Amino acid sequence: MASVTGLEGVIAAETELSLVDGQNGNLVYRGYEAKELALHKSFEETAYLLWYGSLPSQETLNEFKAQWVAGRTLPATLESVLDLLPNESDMMSILRTAISVLGTGDNTQSAWPPSDKAIIAYTALLPTIIAYKYRQSRGLSPIAPHTDLDHVANYLYMLTGEIPQPSHVKVLTAYFILAMEHGMNASTFAGRVVLSTQSDLASALCASIGAMKGPLHGGAPSEVLHMLDEIGSKDRAEEYLRNQLASGKRLMGFGHRIYKTNDPRAEALRRIMTELSSEDPWFELAVHVEKTAVDLLAVYKPGRNLYVNVEFYAAAVMRAIELPPHLFTASFTASRMVGWTAHLLEQASCNRIFRPQSTYIGELPVSLRQS
Ligand SMILES: CC(C)(COP(=O)(O)OP(=O)(O)OC[C@H]1O[C@@H](n2cnc3c(N)ncnc32)[C@H](O)[C@@H]1OP(=O)(O)O)[C@@H](O)C(=O)NCCC(=O)NCCS
């Protein structure tokens, strides 16, 4: 059996959660187009859909939201551990440590199979952890969660202490919904592999966070921002991008293992951003860089079908709402928690331990060599 580098094209599971149609550029969550959900549903409604398989009635949604609100308060043990962590730590390392702490001490949280209660609690708490440590690292006192705000609005509120503008909530909600779930990507797969050993929820999520942290996966949006800042103006774009490609560097925010056409999430975010900041010179620069980069990628990497991916416009969204760049990957993580945990529930419901093989290409002892 030949090995497949990067497991490209290997089907590792059947799933009812999402269809990632890379040839036609469609993303479907349990029978609904993700871009429609992003425009018309809340984060909580979409999470309910992914976890339970249907959209909630108003009454169910109200009860469900109450569970999220109850899960937002930082437990005292976690708060003490967060206080000990150096302020200069990167936020993904903070999140990995925080989830690990949550997985200690309380047997109901670490039991197999993972429970709905634990999944909601972990997902609801993530923005509180980010906001707490972010404010602490700036010498600011923490802002308690706002019980009347939804998940996304409350995240922005806990970061700034101000009720966020509706347009900011709208665009961040759209991004969070579009980034919530995406099939068998590296972080989701990592979590499913850990859970398949009948390990606990926290251990599986720590694996997912570790995978998400890498620049080829969740670390791309801050790199995109860095690239656009370096380019600075439209007239410098082509020269800069040519230099990057000629020296063998990758353009952050372009290319995708599955999408060989436009990433539908990037297109949806570009549309929403056009409404929000069409006059903004930085956004105009981003649109120009996208076009120039796609043209140049076709020249420097012919036949590879490299187009813009979600991370490029995720950077535009997060910059427009003034989210600090070092919170980009952590914010992506706060939304992807829903997809990860939906996959973990699915894995637990039909579990078989993952155990692929490798092809040995090293030396054989003399006794085993064929003459
Ligand atoms: C996303 C990504 C990791 C997918 O990787 P992959 O499916 O393993 O694709 P490969 O690494 O095999 O790349 C295939 C070819 O396209 C090139 N390529 C892929 N993405 C590229 C990019 N962003 N810029 C320049 N070249 C790129 C590779 O250099 C390779 O060229 P080669 O055939 O000459 O060796 C890759 O496209 C990438 O690194 N993108 C930039 C990071 C990013 O935006 N990540 C967020 C993803 S949502």
Side-chain angles (χ1 to χ4, degrees), residues 10-83:
V10 172
I11 310 242
E14 291 187 340
T15 183
E16 294 183 347
L17 299 173
S18 66
L19 167 69
V20 184
D21 175 0
Q23 292 308 321
N24 300 305
N26 294 317
L27 175 62
V28 172
Y29 295 166
R30 289 200 185 264
Y32 294 85
E33 281 204 71
K35 62 185 181 193
E36 294 301 319
L37 295 167
L39 284 178
H40 304 298
K41 298 293 173 195
S42 67
F43 185 83
E44 289 90 333
E45 280 172 296
T46 316
Y48 189 95
L49 172 69
L50 280 170
W51 286 337
Y52 300 110
S54 60
L55 286 165
S57 66
Q58 192 55 53
E59 193 187 344
T60 306
L61 181 61
N62 293 343
E63 286 165 15
F64 186 58
K65 281 188 179 178
Q67 289 178 270
W68 286 70
V69 170
R72 284 177 187 164
T73 307
L74 215 49
T77 317
L78 178 55
E79 191 172 323
S80 320
V81 173
L82 289 177
D83 289 344

Side-chain angles (χ1 to χ4, degrees), residues 8 215-217 220 245 249-257 260 265 297 301 304 306 309-311:
E8 180 163 6
L216 296 189
H217 190 8
L245 291 168
K249 297 206 179 110
R250 290 185 178 221
L251 305 182
M252 288 294 145
F254 295 87
H256 198 274
R257 174 64 65 79
K260 298 306 170 197
R265 303 167 299 171
L297 283 165
K301 295 283 172 184
R304 276 37 154 243
L306 300 168
N309 66 44
V310 66
E311 306 299 0

Side-chain angles (χ1 to χ4, degrees), residues 91-172:
M91 194 55 83
M92 291 302 281
S93 303
I94 301 276
L95 290 182
R96 195 192 54 225
T97 308
I99 293 288
S100 195
V101 172
L102 290 173
T104 58
D106 179 348
N107 289 335
T108 58
Q109 306 264 318
S110 61
W112 166 270
S115 70
D116 298 18
K117 190 171 154 239
I119 278 172
I120 297 172
Y122 282 31
T123 309
L125 191 58
L126 220 79
T128 313
I129 299 166
I130 299 171
Y132 182 88
K133 202 61 196 174
Y134 166 71
R135 291 186 64 86
Q136 188 176 63
S137 69
R138 275 162 179 63
L140 301 167
S141 49
I143 307 282
H146 196 305
T147 48
D148 295 336
L149 293 178
D150 281 357
H151 187 66
V152 176
N154 177 58
Y155 175 41
L156 291 175
Y157 170 75
M158 288 188 299
L159 288 172
T160 63
E162 288 165 18
I163 302 290
Q165 295 175 33
S167 63
H168 287 191
V169 176
K170 183 181 170 195
V171 77
L172 190 62

